[in-house]
Structures are given as C-alpha cells and as structure tokens.
Amino acid sequence: AQRVTQPEKLLSVFKGAPVELKCNYSYSGSPELFWYVQYSRQRLQLLLRHISRESIKGFTADLNKGETSFHLKKPFAQEEDSAMYYCALHNDMRFGAGTRLTVKP
Amino acid sequence: EPEVTQTPSHQVTQMGQEVILRCVPISNHLYFYWYRQILGQKVEFLVSFYNNEISEKSEIFDDQFSVERPDGSNFTLKIRSTKLEDSAMYFCASSEPGEETQYFGPGTRLLVL
C-alpha cells in the first residue's frame, strides 16, 4: 500500500536546538514528496518539495530512496517554527498524520 | 498575493441535511482539490477536478459527495445527506497547470449534529 508515515505526533525542542521531523514513505514508483506547514490559526501552506532541493525558513529535506525517507531538518529551531508539519506524497495525494512541533524558549 | 478562499468558515447542520461548501480557487489555476481532516486525524484526499470533470477520487468520495464548478470562479463540494462522521475540516486547494504545488484555502469546519 502506498502510504506516508510520520512516527512522531508531538515533538518538542528548545530554541536553538536542531530539529528533525521524520517522514517515511512507501511508493513503488518515483515519489513526489512535499512538506506542508500549518501555523496556529493559519492555512496549510507549502514549506518545501524534494524536487526543488531548496531551503525555506532554514528547513531542508533530502529524499533518501534507500531508506524511503524524506525527513525535515533545521539546524537551529526558532519559536516561530512551532506548528503542525505534514509530509505528503503527491503521487496519490496522501498525507502523513502530521507532527506538532513546539519550540520552547 | 492571490489566495484560495472558502465559505463558510463554520457550518453546523443536522444529520441528513444537504450542505454545500464553497471555494474560490486562485484565478489562473485549473486543478482543484478537496480534502478533509477529521479532528485529530490526518488530512485525507477526497477528489481532484480538472477540465470540468473529476480526475481522481478517493474511496471516501462516495455517492453522497459531488463537486461542481458552477461558474468561472466557484468550486463546490456538496454532501447530499450528511452523517455524523462527516464532521470535519474541509480544505479546498488549487494548482496551476504543470505545477505540483497546491495552494490551500483556510478550510470550512463542518459540524453535523
């Protein structure tokens, strides 16, 4: 079955600490993976996608086909990064369950 | 910056009633989507729409659901006879031709009593 797994529902780190939000996927073809973010009381919005290999707001995500992962990383978390983060496999429109990141002062 | 808009922001309805959720996609976008998120659960894909027809739908999108683009701007999701388990946040999204990025609306919170 094609699916997206985000194993952590909640993740809490201190400001300035590194953060990694895990995403594993299962897909038989070439995956098109995205990270979406939803800040408190705001709409879901694109954070980044694997194909562009960009860094947005200090976040990066590398597609690792061997481990079937697309983990989201930031070396120094900021309080404003607190939000819900969703990994999504666009090939069949599947979202992970989401990880709520809290960055404590 | 153009945004996807959705109305109403909240809707309360009685079980068995019909509801229509409205979305105005970004004007030059041609692909439209509906998702739902039951409280505490993951975002689930319902349906995608292109060129005035459904291009893909999930197992959730059964006969009680329908979508329509009644005019050049609106994209609607109709639930014919609501059930308690239809209570959820419903998100509309749109994307440009040839572009994977989807832009989401703020959602409509539907509560079925």
Side-chain angles (χ1 to χ4, degrees):
Chain A
Q2 329 285 27
R3 65 173 184 270
V4 179
T5 305
Q6 290 180 250
E8 302 140 328
K9 290 191 90 164
L10 302 170
L11 184 62
S12 183
V13 301
F14 284 101
K15 177 182 168 182
V19 64
E20 180 179 71
L21 293 96
K22 293 185 168 55
C23 173
N24 288 91
Y25 68 91
S26 171
Y27 186 70
S28 53
S30 187
E32 296 165 6
L33 288 154
F34 290 63
W35 276 100
Y36 287 88
V37 60
Q38 187 172 29
Y39 301 103
S40 180
R41 297 192 192 88
Q42 294 186 33
R43 64 187 66 200
L44 209 60
Q45 58 185 280
L46 176 70
L47 181 62
L48 52 79
R49 48 187 176 166
H50 89 273
I51 200 164
S52 58
R53 302 182 66 81
E54 58 204 338
S55 172
I56 303 292
K57 299 184 181 183
F59 285 96
T60 58
D62 289 318
L63 177 61
N64 185 324
K65 289 189 177 180
E67 294 182 358
T68 60
S69 69
F70 187 56
H71 302 330
L72 183 68
K73 298 177 187 177
K74 184 168 182 176
F76 308 104
Q78 302 300 313
E79 288 178 71
E80 56 265 29
D81 295 328
S82 296
M84 279 293 293
Y85 290 82
Y86 295 94
C87 183
L89 178 66
H90 265 226
N91 304 77
D92 62 355
M93 314 286 196
R94 287 197 186 265
F95 281 68
T99 297
R100 181 172 295 284
L101 173 66
T102 302
V103 181
K104 297 182 283 192
Chain B
E1 189 176 330
E3 289 183 332
V4 176
T5 58
Q6 289 184 243
T7 54
S9 58
H10 295 78
Q11 179 146 6
V12 181
T13 190
Q14 295 289 325
M15 190 171 60
Q17 295 295 304
E18 175 184 284
V19 295
I20 298 176
L21 309 182
R22 291 185 167 76
C23 169
V24 179
I26 294 173
S27 62
N28 63 327
H29 288 187
L30 298 180
Y31 292 85
F32 315 115
Y33 312 84
W34 281 103
Y35 296 84
R36 78 171 185 194
Q37 186 178 29
I38 296 170
L39 186 64
Q41 298 185 27
K42 63 174 68 177
V43 177
E44 299 173 295
F45 168 71
L46 293 177
V47 66
S48 60
F49 191 85
Y50 170 70
N51 201 25
N52 281 320
E53 59 184 30
I54 290 172
S55 47
E56 191 175 351
K57 61 182 181 179
S58 72
E59 60 276 5
I60 301 167
F61 194 88
D62 61 22
D63 291 343
Q64 68 157 348
F65 290 94
S66 62
V67 289
E68 197 177 33
R69 189 154 161 81
D71 53 43
S73 60
N74 288 284
F75 178 52
T76 61
L77 174 70
K78 184 192 291 187
I79 309 175
R80 188 172 28 250
S81 176
T82 50
K83 303 194 272 280
L84 297 177
E85 53 265 37
D86 293 328
S87 296
M89 192 76 156
Y90 288 81
F91 294 101
C92 172
S94 68
S95 64
E96 289 181 71
E99 174 61 58
E100 277 287 344
T101 303
Q102 296 180 26
Y103 295 82
F104 284 78
T108 293
R109 185 171 295 284
L110 176 67
L111 178 61
V112 182
L113 301 175

